[in-house]
Amino acid sequence: MAKVPASMVAAAGLVGGYGVARWTRKRQLGGVVLAGAGVVAARQWKRQAGGTAAGVLTATYIAAFAGSHPLAKKVGAWPAVFGVAGAVALASWAVADRPA
């Protein structure tokens, strides 16, 4: 079975967490998706790039989630979520997933 890149896990956590929260109308359930994907991505980041990089990428993931809220007021919810998910995926790819 092919390994899913951490960049895709993180992006899917942000998009999926928002989607689940929106469609079920249960923010806590969306938070479970967001947190679960964050844990999986953080473990991959640590294994692939080390503890410091994993810490920075985890902080980026959390900041992206927090930053999507004020951004959504300017551009809309889905564009904000896709924008921050793309930014996190790009950072993750650059630090941990990019081939050496």
Side-chain angles (χ1 to χ4, degrees):
M1 181 173 178
K3 182 179 83 162
V4 177
S7 55
M8 294 299 101
V9 172
L14 289 161
V15 173
Y18 175 69
V20 166
R22 181 171 178 146
W23 290 316
T24 64
R25 298 186 189 275
K26 297 196 184 313
R27 293 174 59 132
Q28 299 86 352
L29 192 54
V32 168
V33 172
L34 178 79
V39 167
V40 170
R43 286 182 180 164
Q44 283 186 251
W45 291 328
K46 185 174 181 185
R47 187 172 51 249
Q48 292 169 234
T52 301
V56 170
L57 288 169
T58 300
T60 302
Y61 184 78
I62 294 166
F65 166 69
S68 69
H69 292 83
L71 183 59
K73 292 179 181 178
K74 296 182 186 295
V75 300
W78 280 112
V81 170
F82 285 126
V84 299
V88 168
L90 182 61
S92 175
W93 177 82
V95 173
D97 292 334
R98 181 173 49 180

